[in-house]
Amino acid sequence: MAQGIRVGVFGSNGKVGRAIVAGIEAADDLVYTAGVDKGDAPEFFSDTDTQVVVDFTHPDVVMNNLKFLIENGIHAVVGTTGFTDERLAQVGEWLSAAPGVGVLIAPNFAIGAVLSMRFAQAAARFYDSVEVIELHHPNKADAPSGTAYRTASLIAEARAAAGVGKSPDATTAELEGARGAEVDGVRVHSIRLAGLVAHQEVLLGTQGETLTIRHDSMDRTSFVPGVLLGVRGIGDRPGLTVGLDDLLDL
Ligand SMILES: NC(=O)C1=CN([C@@H]2O[C@H](COP(=O)(O)OP(=O)(O)OC[C@H]3O[C@@H](n4cnc5c(N)ncnc54)[C@H](OP(=O)(O)O)[C@@H]3O)[C@@H](O)[C@H]2O)C=CC1
Ligand SMILES: O=C(O)C1=N[C@H](C(=O)O)C[C@H](O)C1
């Protein structure tokens, strides 16, 4: 049997899944065991002694996938979006019955995206106004993006802790949607445009100045190093880990 961590992929034929499979196959310390796509049996993973499974599928199916993995003692590294607090609590409950199993769920595995969320969190208390714009390819199912949700929550937390109120806004007449959605009181705007991959801007403003924190994933290979970091680390992190920050020592 080949040596290394035995890794499978849920959603292996998807846009990100294909990049992850190539990344696993190129790594000397990892062995690609199985890919499971829509209609395939997840038992492929247990039948091939898979130790870690990466999931890039769809918000509608990821919870079932995770239940299967946890019940079968397989660690998971999850990029699929759609994780509400309720979903995270459910995963935590499943994990409490499976000591030793680790699950990492991160809204964005691109290193620059993780850093940009941190930068936005640090800057949030210094500015009167903050809004988030996320820009993605038109095949994306969810809006706002998981990254934008997390960014807005981190910004809101930082502003609340510093006693900073809501961003000023005199709008009284509005075409529905014109001011975007609100996540924890922070405005988030979603653009879907052919030609884009995954991009985000956090705009901050105060008297006489603005600051823009922008991240661009130009290619889906941008997610691979973060995912492989998770794959290598998750076996030593039983329980639920949310976000890549701890694995990057941030
Ligand atoms: N955290 C991060 O860094 C990132 C997260 N994402 C998220 O990852 C997810 C996938 O994105 P993307 O690759 O662009 O999407 P794609 O639609 O290209 O890929 C999803 C794949 O999962 C397959 N699939 C659907 N249902 C199942 C199932 N029950 N079991 C196994 N496979 C299944 C799909 O098959 P079929 O096409 O036949 O339905 C498809 O091949 C999204 O939620 C996206 O937001 C994306 C990029 C980065
Ligand atoms: O669907 C995508 O493409 C992406 N999804 C994630 C998100 O919703 O934040 C991560 C990245 O933005 C790409």
Side-chain angles (χ1 to χ4, degrees), residues 15-16 56 79-82 106-109 113 134-137 139-142 144-149 192 197-200 217 220 223:
K15 291 186 286 299
V16 182
F56 279 87
T80 306
T81 44
N108 204 313
F109 280 94
E134 56 94 342
L135 309 92
H136 281 83
H137 58 92
N139 296 318
K140 185 165 177 55
D142 52 324
S145 69
T147 308
Y149 258 112
R192 297 291 174 262
V197 177
H199 317 259
Q200 180 169 283
S217 273
R220 290 178 177 85
F223 306 116

Side-chain angles (χ1 to χ4, degrees), residues 21 26 43-44 116 151:
V21 171
E43 285 76 15
F44 283 172
S116 72
T151 307

Side-chain angles (χ1 to χ4, degrees), residues 5 50-54 66 69-70 72-77 100-104 231 234-239:
I5 306 172
T50 298
Q51 296 166 288
V52 181
V53 167
V54 177
L66 269 175
L69 295 173
I70 294 168
N72 284 275
I74 300 171
H75 307 297
V77 172
V101 177
V103 172
L104 166 64
V231 165
I234 194 60
D236 299 325
R237 287 172 185 269

Side-chain angles (χ1 to χ4, degrees), residues 111-182:
I111 308 301
V114 179
L115 289 173
S116 72
M117 284 187 259
R118 280 293 177 128
F119 298 155
Q121 187 182 23
R125 69 188 165 98
F126 297 105
Y127 290 83
D128 296 324
S129 299
V130 56
E131 303 211 2
V132 178
I133 306 175
E134 56 94 342
L135 309 92
H136 281 83
H137 58 92
N139 296 318
K140 185 165 177 55
D142 52 324
S145 69
T147 308
Y149 258 112
R150 177 103 180 120
T151 307
S153 300
L154 292 172
I155 289 170
E157 256 174 53
R159 286 166 77 85
V164 181
K166 278 188 82 167
S167 300
D169 181 359
T171 308
T172 51
E174 181 193 355
L175 181 63
E176 196 188 333
R179 295 285 295 116
E182 264 197 41

